[in-house]
Amino acid sequence: MIKLDSKIPEGPLAEKWSRYKTGLRLVNPANKKKIDIIVVGTGLAGAGAASALGELGYNVKVFCFQDSPRRAHSVAAQGGINAAKNYRNDNDSIYRLFHDMMKGGDYRAREANVYRASEVSNDVIDHFTAMGVPFARDYGGSLDTRSFGGVQVSRTFYAKGQTGQQCLLGTYSSLNRQIAKGTVKIFPRRDMLDIVVVEGKARGVITRNLVTGELERHSAHAVVLATGGYGTVYYLSTLGLGSNASAAWSAYRKGAVFANPSFIQIHPTSIPVLNDYQCKLTLMSESLRNDGRVWVPKEKGDKRHPNEIAEEDRDYYLERRYPAFGNLVPRDVASRAAKERCDAGYGAGDTGLSVYLDFKDAINKQGEKAIRDKYGNLFEMYEKITGVNPYKQPMRIYPAGHYTMGGLWVDYNLMTTIPGLYAIGESNFSDHGANRLGASSLMQCSGDGYFILPNTISDYLADDIRTGKIPVDQPAFEEAEKQVADRIQKIMDVGGKETASSFHKRLGKIMWDYCGMRRDAEGLKKGMELLIQLEEEFWKNICIPGTDKELNQELEKALKVADFFEVGRLMCEDALQREESCGAHFREEHQTETGEAKRNDAKFAYVAAWEYQGPKAKPILHKEALEFKYVELKERSYK
Amino acid sequence: MNFTLKIWRQKNANAKGSFQTYPLKDVSPEMSFLEMLDYLNNQLIARGNEPVTFEHDCREGICGSCGLYINGRPHGPQRSTTTCELHMRDFKDGETIVIEPWRSKAFPVIKDLIVDRSSFERIMHAGGFVNVNVGCAPESNSNPIGKLIADKVFDAAACIGCGACVAACKNSSAMLYAAAKIAQYAMIPQGKVEAKERVDKMVKQMDAEGFGFCSNTYACEFDCPKGISTDFIALMNREFFSSKACKQKHA
Ligand SMILES: Cc1cc2nc3c(=O)[nH]c(=O)nc-3n(C[C@H](O)[C@H](O)[C@H](O)COP(=O)(O)OP(=O)(O)OC[C@H]3O[C@@H](n4cnc5c(N)ncnc54)[C@H](O)[C@@H]3O)c2cc1C
Ligand code: FES
């Protein structure tokens, strides 16, 4: 059985990272050339890590499933990226950013990791600026910032509503620079299907070439997963359609412990479902809540056009319930409040499953141009999708699956429980506790990739300078490849009638209904049962046209869906054991009289880390106790 | 709504492709264009046929994966719109819709509607970056950049790398794509230092990949889903010629 060791260094919080870093072993430049590193994923985390490692002189191989690294889903982030620059003189600091993240995460994250993420945030912004990322500026030429949910300072750097795109393209440019130098080799259009473990260490991956269908073996001295989030478990989500859990899941099956799988953020402001064929929900950035006011009609079932509903007939329920933070309460709070109003019958639109986000007051006060400057592209996007002009009438929004706080368990070095296997960015669990604050993921991903991992990984690789190339013709690679080939064969052989998307949609509905914004024991158990049934059906009736030796998108989808059944079950299992409400995890059984989340710190101040025991067996739960020395655990009040 | 779809089908890079016609009934006007194709694919699969292969990921107009040549226009009839942002309400009931992949020597077809855009990647490898190492960045505000310039830089940087500019151009020129990146860096102090080498290398790579020349028809700007301006091509040309002049002086 695995024993968790978080390896959090001793010493005062603010000095942990700098002291620890000094003690880490290095690999000298001549030896770096003898060391191979695999990075899977080219989002902010993966592309950042690959380029930083390439710069240091390692041989890096980097993989993504898209045709270009520039298309990783980081590209879709809209609102911004946090840093503790204190450019506004609003008394911001590294400590305050740390504190906001701890509180925002409802005290279920590690102090040391969160502090470090805050600490490197300023370097991240400087590096992006130096690479030419066009952050918004004010007239004097210095960088502009804006506010985001859950905080009272203005520390979010942005590039219109396309911050993720601009940060990713910056990171992509640094990757290209290393590709040109020959330190990094890029393998696009590859699905990573398994990790190869040799004598207890991660030594390679098995990938499928998505154009030819060939299985490939790649070896290295260490493997870094930066494969993003698995919010697509809900089918409808704000993620890209190719986003998946499979890469992380293959690591889980090989012994990497998976932490807090049920902590998934449901984002409050997505465009609601408009038709039954929809497979994707589009986010409207949280930044809109800076100027938009959220409301529903005061009268149940009031179906009047929103512009005809007078001020006094509107219920600005966030401002009413949370006067201190108003429309800028954190995401989990805003999502549940929307669901509460809609479930109670006050929702807007034909389905009653949406609330209004209204810019009328902001436009009256600041003028249409000011609003256009800030959110122009988001407004356009909204109009393209819905056919409604949000300058003229309020947007309709509803919560959607968005971000996975849970992920592969890592220690302070960002290493999983498999030696030599690292997880960075959204694919790990480490910095956001039970709820992520807006604009802190881009910050964490880039911090992990550019500034943290390159330091910690050298300490591990220092033992590998004499190892030499890892051969791919050894049994561990053969076995792993055979397992993958057998699984593909099995899925191709079913010859059923139902498509992968259809199964995915049914699976997503189970997850949304039983392991979504509100959960209870009975529902979670029911969810698990339904998942088992659906999985059985899948293996009897999945239909995949064509062959596996060619570009086959149906096969790609089916392989991802096949993993989601297990992911979903573990999410339910995790949500069931956590007999408290915290952050995005809300258990009906555990709420205050006013319907707010009720934590139980005495019993549940731990990270739930699950160890795989086989496809049907119950996984083992490990508990990493969380210690809080620098923040005081309080009821998270935004009133 | 009902449509007749004429879609380019091609088994792989080496196979010969052809148009196939598919009638499609009961399409909802709320569907996005790609959801309409999903809907078609479900029916094809149910009938035991192979679905139409097309590229997509974000489905919100930002990743640049999708890109179909629809009724003779890259990304279809709407301006400033990617294929994934198109909706069926933008088409006429009963219409015949012709769907092709990008057509360019530098973008060979991989399967059906998917093309190989790695030539775009190689243009970026040639110089689409600022040479700065992790850890040696100066404080962000030590290099002020006026808002007006910063906004222009952003406009250039908004390119999603979809390839519509090449598909729109009768010469298959990649000028707009390369120019957007070159201009983004040429306008700011961080990128100015190596602006001349950058333009030289990127233009050379563009030619090596078999992209054509620019004959100023502005079709690329017209069909660019992000409305990238051809002014950046002029800026690139200025950089390019001054780089040549500079070289001759040193020779
Ligand atoms: C719509 C939206 C808006 C957001 N807005 C913000 C925001 O404003 N601010 C903020 O801080 N955060 C935001 N987030 C969150 C943030 O964008 C993500 O958490 C972050 O970008 C994830 O980066 P990453 O590098 O971990 O993974 P990603 O960028 O998702 O990259 C994953 C990479 O892994 C590769 N990959 C995945 N699986 C495999 C596999 N099996 N085989 C091979 N390769 C694989 C992919 O090809 C890709 O390259 C937003 C998220 C969404 C969805
Ligand atoms: S699918 Fe991403 S731009 Fe169309």
Side-chain angles (χ1 to χ4, degrees):
Chain A
M1 204 171 82
I2 287 165
K3 209 169 158 354
L4 297 183
D5 177 4
S6 63
K7 306 217 169 84
I8 294 173
E10 292 300 317
L13 185 64
E15 288 168 33
K16 279 185 199 287
W17 176 231
S18 51
R19 282 203 209 170
Y20 182 70
K21 243 183 359 175
T22 343
L24 290 172
R25 291 176 302 164
L26 303 176
V27 176
N28 86 29
N31 285 329
K32 285 197 182 102
K33 292 201 190 82
K34 297 184 211 149
I35 291 194
D36 302 322
I37 303 176
I38 283 173
V39 178
V40 188
T42 60
L44 284 191
S51 49
L53 294 167
E55 247 171 53
L56 287 167
Y58 296 106
N59 298 311
V60 183
K61 280 181 167 183
V62 62
F63 298 81
C64 65
F65 64 74
Q66 293 93 342
D67 70 322
S68 161
R70 69 181 291 153
R71 310 201 202 284
H73 202 57
S74 291
V75 79
Q78 302 174 343
I81 173 166
N82 285 336
K85 285 278 194 187
N86 191 32
Y87 281 166
R88 293 277 180 156
N89 193 30
D90 51 6
N91 197 6
D92 198 10
S93 63
I94 289 168
Y95 179 80
R96 196 179 292 278
L97 173 54
F98 151 77
H99 191 272
D100 285 342
M101 282 176 74
M102 291 299 295
K103 176 181 171 196
D106 220 357
Y107 309 101
R108 291 293 173 266
R110 275 188 205 141
E111 284 187 336
N113 287 55
V114 175
Y115 192 89
R116 178 176 63 182
S118 312
E119 200 176 338
V120 299
S121 68
N122 292 342
D123 296 337
V124 168
I125 295 297
D126 289 342
H127 188 56
F128 278 141
T129 307
M131 289 193 299
V133 171
F135 286 125
R137 290 175 184 262
D138 59 27
Y139 285 92
S142 46
L143 296 188
D144 193 19
T145 55
R146 62 183 171 204
S147 321
F148 247 57
V151 303
Q152 289 169 317
V153 293
S154 174
R155 64 159 77 96
T156 303
F157 295 82
Y158 66 101
K160 284 209 180 141
Q162 283 145 260
T163 317
Q165 182 204 21
Q166 292 310 321
C167 290
L168 183 67
L169 293 183
T171 309
Y172 166 69
S173 75
S174 69
L175 187 68
N176 286 336
R177 175 171 172 242
Q178 294 309 312
I179 293 173
K181 284 195 171 150
T183 59
V184 174
K185 205 163 175 262
I186 168 85
F187 295 83
R189 295 194 194 275
R190 299 299 199 288
D191 255 350
M192 188 209 110
L193 296 175
D194 209 357
I195 297 274
V196 183
V197 179
V198 181
E199 289 162 8
K201 291 179 174 173
R203 291 298 201 193
V205 295
I206 304 294
T207 57
R208 180 168 177 272
N209 179 321
L210 299 181
V211 177
T212 63
E214 256 170 287
L215 295 183
E216 307 162 330
R217 304 173 187 183
H218 297 275
S219 71
H221 298 90
V223 177
V224 181
L225 294 187
T227 47
Y230 54 92
T232 34
V233 70
Y234 291 119
Y235 184 64
L236 287 169
S237 81
T238 63
L239 274 85
L241 266 56
S243 298
N244 63 90
S246 295
W249 212 248
S250 68
Y252 171 65
R253 286 207 192 97
K254 287 264 159 100
V257 161
F258 206 95
N260 300 335
S262 71
F263 287 175
I264 294 204
Q265 178 167 79
I266 311 290
H267 196 292
T269 55
S270 142
I271 299 179
V273 179
L274 300 171
N275 74 71
D276 197 41
Y277 296 94
Q278 213 166 322
C279 53
K280 149 91 199 183
L281 293 172
T282 300
L283 185 76
M284 288 287 104
S285 166
E286 170 161 304
S287 59
L288 292 171
R289 285 194 279 142
N290 263 308
D291 288 299
R293 297 177 69 195
V294 179
W295 63 274
V296 291
K298 266 192 189 146
E299 191 78 18
K300 245 188 215 180
D302 183 344
K303 292 290 173 215
R304 281 182 292 166
H305 189 281
N307 289 357
E308 283 162 18
I309 301 181
E311 262 322 288
E312 60 274 16
D313 296 337
R314 300 174 170 198
D315 175 15
Y316 293 94
Y317 59 88
L318 288 177
E319 297 168 26
R320 167 171 61 78
R321 281 180 70 177
Y322 308 100
F325 281 70
N327 294 296
L328 283 174
V329 291
R331 294 177 176 176
D332 53 337
V333 178
S335 288
R336 277 196 297 275
K339 180 171 162 56
E340 187 277 327
R341 284 293 78 191
C342 293
D343 288 353
Y346 296 90
D350 294 338
T351 53
L353 286 178
S354 64
V355 301
Y356 292 117
L357 179 64
D358 199 335
F359 296 88
K360 188 182 62 171
D361 292 346
I363 291 174
N364 285 344
K365 215 157 126 199
Q366 306 169 35
E368 193 171 308
K369 177 161 186 313
I371 297 299
R372 194 180 299 275
D373 279 352
K374 280 194 253 186
Y375 313 113
N377 71 317
L378 294 169
F379 277 47
E380 262 170 43
M381 206 189 228
Y382 183 86
E383 184 166 0
K384 268 181 205 155
I385 293 173
T386 62
V388 168
N389 177 350
Y391 293 101
K392 302 275 178 259
Q393 76 180 62
M395 290 182 177
R396 283 199 299 126
I397 51 161
Y398 196 68
H402 179 61
Y403 178 89
T404 41
M405 282 76 70
L408 288 168
W409 184 91
V410 290
D411 63 17
Y412 192 69
N413 296 318
L414 304 179
M415 185 149 89
T416 67
T417 48
I418 299 177
L421 180 68
Y422 292 78
I424 59 175
E426 190 172 339
S427 74
N428 75 24
F429 88 105
S430 83
D431 296 356
H432 307 289
N435 172 55
R436 175 173 71 81
L437 279 190
S440 56
S441 173
L442 297 183
M443 158 191 141
Q444 175 231 334
C445 291
S446 308
D448 282 1
Y450 277 125
F451 293 99
I452 299 170
L453 178 92
N455 288 301
T456 57
I457 203 170
S458 80
D459 191 61
Y460 173 81
L461 291 170
D463 290 329
D464 263 323
I465 53 177
R466 279 178 210 90
T467 309
K469 276 254 173 266
I470 309 288
V472 293
D473 55 359
Q474 51 179 321
F477 278 88
E478 266 156 42
E479 238 164 74
E481 185 184 318
K482 182 163 184 314
Q483 271 173 15
V484 169
D486 289 351
R487 190 171 164 85
I488 291 176
Q489 199 53 51
K490 188 175 159 204
I491 219 167
M492 293 299 302
D493 285 346
V494 175
K497 291 222 158 7
E498 191 170 338
T499 62
S501 303
S502 166
F503 276 111
H504 193 178
K505 191 170 175 183
R506 290 167 68 195
L507 174 137
K509 174 128 180 42
I510 297 175
M511 294 311 293
W512 187 249
D513 289 347
Y514 299 104
C515 197
M517 265 183 282
R518 300 175 81 100
R519 304 151 173 189
D520 62 33
E522 204 188 319
L524 289 164
K525 285 180 199 152
K526 174 97 189 283
M528 280 195 265
E529 262 169 45
L530 292 173
L531 287 173
I532 292 172
Q533 286 167 14
L534 191 63
E535 185 175 14
E536 277 171 13
E537 220 184 292
F538 175 90
W539 286 104
K540 285 194 194 117
N541 201 26
I542 178 74
C543 161
I544 300 168
T547 72
D548 61 325
K549 299 291 184 297
E550 60 180 335
L551 200 164
N552 189 336
Q553 296 176 320
E554 290 302 309
L555 172 61
E556 292 165 30
K557 281 192 251 177
L559 287 168
K560 290 170 181 173
V561 174
D563 290 331
F564 274 138
F565 295 112
E566 277 184 19
V567 176
R569 279 212 315 272
L570 192 69
M571 282 172 64
C572 293
E573 191 87 64
D574 184 52
L576 191 60
Q577 64 81 30
R578 195 168 279 279
E579 290 280 354
E580 65 163 349
S581 295
C582 59
H585 168 70
F586 190 86
R587 283 284 300 265
E588 297 288 356
E589 301 94 325
H590 306 286
Q591 49 183 310
T592 64
E593 271 157 26
T594 51
E596 303 298 332
K598 198 162 150 196
R599 273 195 341 258
N600 182 343
D601 295 326
K603 276 188 148 161
F604 292 96
Y606 62 72
V607 175
W610 298 90
E611 184 184 346
Y612 188 66
Q613 296 294 304
K616 296 275 176 298
K618 198 176 152 87
I620 298 175
L621 171 63
H622 299 271
K623 297 178 182 176
E624 179 199 334
L626 291 167
E627 280 176 43
F628 301 98
K629 288 196 189 139
Y630 296 87
V631 290
E632 191 191 342
L633 273 63
K634 286 197 194 139
E635 187 193 334
R636 204 166 54 117
S637 168
Y638 295 92
K639 300 201 181 229
Chain B
M1 298 173 97
N2 302 323
F3 295 100
T4 305
L5 306 173
K6 280 182 75 177
I7 303 179
W8 183 260
R9 302 300 307 261
Q10 181 173 338
K11 187 121 185 74
N12 55 47
N14 304 320
K16 212 170 144 298
S18 64
F19 280 105
Q20 302 285 319
T21 305
Y22 306 95
L24 190 63
K25 285 208 189 87
D26 300 326
V27 173
S28 144
E30 294 291 315
M31 277 182 195
S32 74
F33 194 82
L34 296 185
E35 280 158 10
M36 181 276 293
L37 287 181
D38 294 338
Y39 175 63
L40 168 73
N41 277 344
N42 278 340
Q43 302 190 358
L44 290 178
I45 296 171
R47 279 186 250 139
N49 298 331
E50 281 207 32
V52 179
T53 307
F54 60 93
E55 200 140 43
H56 63 98
D57 192 30
C58 76
R59 295 220 181 181
E60 56 184 59
I62 195 72
C63 74
S65 295
C66 67
L68 301 177
Y69 201 72
I70 302 165
N71 287 345
R73 294 234 352 238
H75 294 300
Q78 294 278 57
R79 281 197 75 176
S80 309
T81 303
T82 56
T83 302
C84 61
E85 292 174 300
L86 275 179
H87 280 72
M88 296 319 291
R89 57 173 173 266
D90 304 329
F91 292 84
K92 279 201 286 299
D93 195 10
E95 196 176 342
T96 296
I97 306 177
V98 184
I99 310 171
E100 298 169 76
W102 289 166
R103 303 280 190 195
S104 160
K105 197 170 75 188
F107 290 161
V109 172
I110 293 179
K111 183 173 183 177
D112 292 342
L113 302 171
I114 297 190
V115 298
D116 178 351
R117 287 175 287 200
S118 53
S119 48
F120 261 18
E121 297 300 301
R122 291 185 291 272
I123 294 176
M124 287 303 161
H125 300 165
F129 44 79
V130 171
N131 270 299
V132 55
N133 279 350
V134 180
C136 62
E139 212 294 319
S140 292
N141 275 342
S142 59
N143 257 328
I145 299 172
K147 184 170 180 347
L148 297 180
I149 300 263
D151 287 350
K152 209 155 160 208
V153 172
F154 178 89
D155 291 343
C159 169
I160 58 172
C162 63
C165 46
V166 175
C169 176
K170 63 179 165 55
N171 311 319
S172 286
S173 166
M175 287 285 219
L176 192 64
Y177 169 75
K181 191 51 59 185
I182 288 166
Q184 176 194 346
Y185 292 140
M187 287 187 282
I188 51 174
Q190 298 92 306
K192 244 187 197 130
V193 188
E194 6 168 25
K196 306 263 175 280
E197 291 90 337
R198 178 178 307 113
V199 69
D200 235 22
K201 288 182 183 159
M202 288 178 73
V203 168
K204 209 188 238 159
Q205 190 62 36
M206 198 165 67
D207 293 343
E209 297 293 345
F211 289 105
F213 56 93
C214 168
S215 54
N216 297 318
T217 65
Y218 306 116
C220 52
E221 175 178 327
F222 191 79
D223 279 332
C224 171
K226 298 295 149 182
I228 308 251
S229 161
T230 41
D231 290 354
F232 297 126
I233 298 185
L235 195 147
M236 172 174 84
N237 286 337
R238 269 201 312 278
E239 289 289 328
F240 185 71
F241 290 118
S242 73
S243 127
K244 288 276 168 276
C246 171
K247 266 206 191 129
Q248 275 165 7
K249 220 157 68 193
H250 287 292

